[in-house]
Amino acid sequence: MGASQRCRSSIKPPSCAFLFSVGTLWLLSTVMPARACPKICHCTDRNGMVVQCTSRNLESIPSDLPKDTVVLLLSSNRIKRVAKEAFTDLRRLRELDLSHNAIESVEAGAFQGISEGLRTLDLSNNHLSGLPKDTFAKLHARVRLSHNPWHCECSLQEVLRELRLDPETVNEVSCYTSVQEEYVGQPVIQVLDSGINFCNFHHKTTDVAMFVAMFCWFSMVTAYIIYYIKHNQEDARRHMEYLKSLPSTSHISKDYDTASSVL
């Protein structure tokens, strides 16, 4: 006997209606949010959503992305910033393309929630010059960072140390600026492979700066002490001249004795 027949035979109509309503709401709540697609994007289902948002003049990452997104294409927009936990709900995300935007900053934790499952990340052709140290924590994806105005220094070296750069574009990740001018224009990986350690240079620069600061402080203290001594010497000289200008004690005593004898 089918479920509908059992309802008609053994359950009162209001109870069947109630069960039908609950089942319908449950079905809508589980299916619709997973399949919803941002109006500005185009979505296709291929064992998970492929969300195409390329060239849509987007200035930020859409907040209403399907939770079952496996591929997210956001290239050729005007996005300037990737905020912390920007993709945290997209647990199934495998491919993320953010190339050809105007991204200037990626916050630490931006890829939190997807870092272990992500396989491809494209940040090429943006405006990135540096990244927080923990930007790519636990990330297993192959990353493209080419054609950005990178500033070669210690923090960038530390970020790249644990990163899987795309081998096809690795030599296009170049020093646009550098703490050492001779490396400007050179591929970052080649510079690091040559034995250059930007962190050592950073420490040396810091040590020199501290030495200069300490020298300036010592000079100021010395100058103050010299000024203080000279000022005290001048006061002492004036005090001595004042004392010399006073009548002597012996002269006052003689005058007092003379006056006493007369009286």
Side-chain angles (χ1 to χ4, degrees):
M1 182 181 295
S4 59
Q5 292 177 340
R6 287 197 299 270
C7 282
R8 285 197 298 269
S9 62
S10 60
I11 303 178
K12 294 180 181 181
S15 298
C16 286
F18 174 75
L19 291 174
F20 178 78
S21 299
V22 171
T24 302
L25 290 173
W26 177 84
L27 183 64
L28 291 174
S29 65
T30 55
V31 175
M32 288 186 66
R35 302 299 176 184
C37 183
K39 293 181 180 179
I40 199 169
C41 303
H42 175 72
C43 299
T44 55
D45 190 353
R46 299 175 184 173
N47 293 323
M49 282 290 182
V50 176
V51 183
Q52 169 68 261
C53 303
T54 302
S55 302
R56 305 300 170 104
N57 288 321
L58 294 173
E59 295 184 356
S60 61
I61 298 166
S63 59
D64 54 346
L65 294 165
K67 292 186 177 181
D68 62 341
T69 299
V70 293
V71 177
L72 179 56
L73 307 177
L74 291 166
S75 62
S76 301
N77 284 291
R78 296 185 293 169
I79 299 170
K80 293 184 178 181
R81 171 175 165 265
V82 183
K84 182 179 180 181
E85 299 182 352
F87 311 99
T88 188
D89 293 330
L90 309 182
R91 300 290 178 175
R92 296 182 58 189
L93 192 62
R94 296 292 179 269
E95 180 180 341
L96 176 58
D97 187 354
L98 289 162
S99 63
H100 295 276
N101 275 281
I103 299 173
E104 298 175 348
S105 65
V106 178
E107 294 183 4
F111 306 107
Q112 185 174 330
I114 65 169
S115 57
E116 295 186 3
L118 197 65
R119 293 293 173 263
T120 303
L121 172 61
D122 195 343
L123 285 166
S124 61
N125 293 278
N126 278 287
H127 299 165
L128 291 167
S129 60
L131 292 166
K133 183 178 179 180
D134 298 327
T135 302
F136 302 114
K138 299 181 181 180
L139 190 70
H140 303 304
R142 180 174 292 181
V143 184
R144 291 190 174 191
L145 297 175
S146 56
H147 302 294
N148 280 281
W150 296 111
H151 177 62
C152 290
E153 40 81 38
C154 182
S155 62
L156 181 63
Q157 176 180 322
E158 292 180 340
V159 168
L160 297 180
R161 182 178 297 164
E162 304 297 332
L163 205 59
R164 289 181 57 204
L165 288 175
D166 175 49
E168 296 180 2
T169 60
V170 66
N171 289 325
E172 297 172 3
V173 183
S174 301
C175 299
Y176 185 77
T177 57
S178 174
V179 290
Q180 294 174 279
E181 290 296 327
E182 60 265 35
Y183 302 118
V184 172
Q186 297 187 31
V188 182
I189 297 302
Q190 290 185 15
V191 172
L192 297 178
D193 286 346
S194 69
I196 298 301
N197 190 330
F198 290 115
C199 294
N200 284 344
F201 181 80
H202 173 74
H203 294 322
K204 289 179 181 179
T205 303
T206 304
D207 292 342
V208 171
M210 290 183 63
F211 174 78
V212 172
M214 290 294 294
F215 178 78
C216 292
W217 178 83
F218 180 76
S219 298
M220 291 176 62
V221 171
T222 303
Y224 175 78
I225 292 173
I226 294 172
Y227 168 78
Y228 180 78
I229 292 173
K230 287 185 175 181
H231 183 73
N232 283 352
Q233 287 178 341
E234 182 66 21
D235 287 345
R237 185 185 62 79
R238 290 177 181 175
H239 186 66
M240 289 299 297
E241 290 179 353
Y242 171 75
L243 292 176
K244 290 178 179 179
S245 67
L246 294 176
S248 64
T249 304
S250 59
H251 180 71
I252 294 174
S253 298
K254 289 180 181 179
D255 290 345
Y256 178 75
D257 293 341
T258 305
S260 298
S261 60
V262 171
L263 291 173

